[in-house]
Amino acid sequence: MLPSSVHLIPTTVRLVQSWIYNSSRSFMDLKSLLSSLSDFASLSFAESWDNVGLLVEPSPPHPVNTLFLTNDLTEEVMEEALQKKADLILSYHPPIFQPMKHITWKTWRERLVIRALENRVGIYSPHTAYDAAPQGVNNWLAKGLGACTSRPIHPSKAPSYPTQGTHRVEFNVNHTQDLDKVMSAVKGIGDGDVSVTSFSVRIDDEEHIRVSVNCTQKALMKVVAFLSQNRQLYQKTEILSLEKPLLLHTGMGRLCTLDEPVSLATMIERIKRYLKLSHIRLALGVGKTLESSIKVVALCAGSGRSILQGVEADLYLTGEMSHHDVLDAASQGINVILCEHSNTERGFLSDLQDMLDAHLEKIANRIEPCEVPSIAIGGAKKGRWEENGQCLKPRS
């Protein structure tokens, strides 16, 4: 369990002190810090339904002296952040998710926005971008299993296409003498949105010239219109939709294959020790016992239903799943371990603090004059649930 008190990395403290005595240097401004956070883990990795990025922005300029990390930004955690003079709060879960129609003192989420703006504190949330990142939450959770190899259950797509354009149009030019005319006409269509190449192909022992056009969705309609108006120039047309490539180590969930199989009982103890829990919830798969062998673990920090459903594994590890989803998994002989939502995420903050400190130091070395914000962890008390005897119950 992480302490609720703030911890500053010693080297960062020295940097803060040096700034006090050297007024010619300044702390990283919000815009630069957000760019650095994007370099650390791109928000393009986040799920489409998520609400990530800068949620509350104080009026510029806004230098960031202290970056405050938390799993959930509640009103209690906001008070802690203000006491520590935070300039930017990185809240793993977004405190603003549904659209707000007004900002009043009526609800706790609205009050968070008011307090943040009144005190010039920014709020940033990475959420599923950090779930998917190679060095993110799920990667951290997988470390508790023991030596293993892992891959994303649902790989992310690269943020950009490897080639220009989103579509490819290919066709054969009927006559060699028309090639220059066709190439010139197609190149002039898209104001830089079109790239054209030609190459020889052999079909039925005859040489043909094939033209390949890469273009954007917008330019595609113009390319098709040109071809429709010049049917005598070409034949054998294909239109392909280009996909962004999948990323090898980035994506949602992790499918982990242990180097050496262990018993379910051993895996339970590893997980409890890693997450610093005295109790977890266990559903035995049909026909399984505590001595059953565990070789493949499918995991997802937080709520794992949509990620783990249908995945073949010996064990599902997540924070929460519905009763019926657990029954479905168990009926297939898959063991299920539930540790409660934030228990599978909160411990990542300590690793994140170290990684961001190192990452921002590298950035600061390229930005002069600039000092790295001090990084603090807050809101690290137990979340909604706490252990009591042999069960978990809501806190009073």
Side-chain angles (χ1 to χ4, degrees):
M1 185 189 309
L2 296 173
S4 59
S5 59
V6 101
H7 287 276
L8 299 181
I9 299 174
T11 55
T12 306
V13 174
R14 287 196 292 273
L15 286 172
V16 173
Q17 292 171 340
S18 68
W19 177 79
I20 292 173
Y21 294 106
N22 185 356
S23 60
S24 66
R25 298 181 67 84
S26 63
F27 285 98
M28 190 176 290
D29 65 85
L30 178 60
K31 183 178 179 180
S32 296
L33 180 54
L34 293 177
S35 177
S36 300
L37 291 174
S38 180
D39 289 341
F40 174 75
S42 172
L43 294 178
S44 66
F45 298 152
E47 295 290 280
S48 59
W49 50 261
D50 207 357
N51 189 36
V52 297
L54 186 63
L55 306 184
V56 175
E57 179 182 10
S59 58
H62 186 66
V64 180
N65 180 346
T66 300
L67 172 61
F68 188 89
L69 310 181
T70 185
N71 202 59
D72 294 283
L73 182 56
T74 63
E75 290 187 277
E76 290 180 342
V77 176
M78 173 62 80
E79 288 301 322
E80 186 181 351
L82 295 179
Q83 291 174 11
K84 302 303 178 185
K85 302 187 184 303
D87 303 295
L88 178 66
I89 298 171
L90 188 157
S91 176
Y92 167 71
H93 289 123
I96 304 173
F97 195 80
Q98 300 296 338
M100 291 182 172
K101 294 184 178 181
H102 38 64
I103 305 296
T104 69
W105 207 246
K106 186 175 181 179
T107 69
W108 69 275
R109 295 184 189 277
E110 294 172 44
R111 291 194 292 271
L112 284 178
V113 175
I114 295 172
R115 297 300 307 280
L117 291 175
E118 286 180 340
N119 291 276
R120 292 188 54 76
V121 179
I123 301 176
Y124 175 91
S125 177
H127 199 205
T128 53
Y130 278 13
D131 288 349
Q135 73 281 31
V137 181
N138 284 303
N139 184 68
W140 166 82
L141 184 58
K143 292 178 182 178
L145 303 179
C148 64
T149 57
S150 68
R151 61 176 177 82
I153 295 174
H154 298 293
S156 298
K157 291 184 178 180
S160 59
Y161 292 88
T163 59
Q164 180 179 353
T166 60
H167 291 77
R168 177 173 296 159
V169 181
E170 289 190 356
F171 54 89
N172 291 353
V173 175
N174 288 333
H175 304 288
T176 304
Q177 62 267 27
D178 294 329
L179 178 61
D180 289 342
K181 175 184 176 180
V182 172
M183 296 279 286
S184 177
V186 174
K187 285 180 180 178
I189 284 177
D191 296 327
D193 292 335
V194 172
S195 65
V196 187
T197 58
S198 63
F199 52 93
S200 296
V201 295
R202 193 168 188 83
I203 303 175
D204 298 330
D205 292 328
E206 293 185 4
E207 291 289 335
H208 296 266
I209 301 298
R210 192 155 181 83
V211 174
S212 178
V213 182
N214 277 19
C215 59
T216 62
Q217 175 77 48
K218 179 180 178 181
L220 175 64
M221 303 306 295
K222 296 180 181 179
V223 173
V224 171
F226 167 77
L227 294 176
S228 298
Q229 295 165 9
N230 297 273
R231 295 179 182 276
Q232 75 281 4
L233 299 177
Y234 70 93
Q235 59 179 326
K236 298 185 182 299
T237 304
E238 291 182 310
I239 300 178
L240 307 174
S241 177
L242 303 180
E243 292 286 341
K244 296 177 181 178
L246 298 178
L247 299 175
L248 183 61
H249 301 295
T250 305
M252 303 305 295
R254 292 294 183 271
L255 189 65
C256 306
T257 303
L258 300 177
D259 292 355
E260 296 291 339
V262 298
S263 69
L264 176 58
T266 298
M267 182 55 67
I268 289 171
E269 291 307 313
R270 286 183 182 180
I271 293 169
K272 288 165 64 176
R273 182 167 57 251
Y274 186 69
L275 298 182
K276 299 179 174 60
L277 300 174
S278 59
H279 299 88
I280 52 90
R281 287 197 282 166
L282 169 67
L284 283 172
V286 172
K288 305 299 181 181
T289 70
L290 291 177
E291 297 307 314
S292 295
S293 177
I294 302 297
K295 176 68 174 179
V296 178
V297 180
L299 62 82
C300 178
S303 178
R305 175 191 180 276
S306 61
I307 303 301
L308 302 180
Q309 191 173 36
V311 177
E312 293 185 7
D314 302 311
L315 171 67
Y316 286 175
L317 169 62
T318 187
E320 59 178 315
M321 288 174 65
S322 76
H323 173 73
H324 296 287
D325 290 325
V326 172
L327 290 180
D328 286 342
S331 71
Q332 301 171 54
I334 301 172
N335 305 292
V336 180
I337 290 179
L338 305 181
C339 301
E340 303 308 333
H341 194 112
S342 61
N343 288 336
T344 58
E345 302 164 336
R346 191 185 300 111
F348 170 68
L349 292 181
S350 181
D351 277 19
L352 178 62
Q353 182 185 34
D354 293 338
M355 288 188 290
L356 284 181
D357 185 70
H359 177 72
L360 295 179
E361 285 282 2
K362 290 180 181 179
I363 298 297
N365 289 335
R366 301 198 298 266
I367 303 175
E368 292 293 342
C370 179
E371 297 288 8
V372 177
S374 59
I375 302 177
I377 298 177
K381 297 178 180 179
K382 282 186 179 290
R384 257 187 341 123
W385 304 88
E386 66 179 4
E387 293 157 4
N388 181 39
Q390 297 298 314
C391 64
L392 294 166
K393 73 170 188 177
R395 298 179 65 185
S396 57

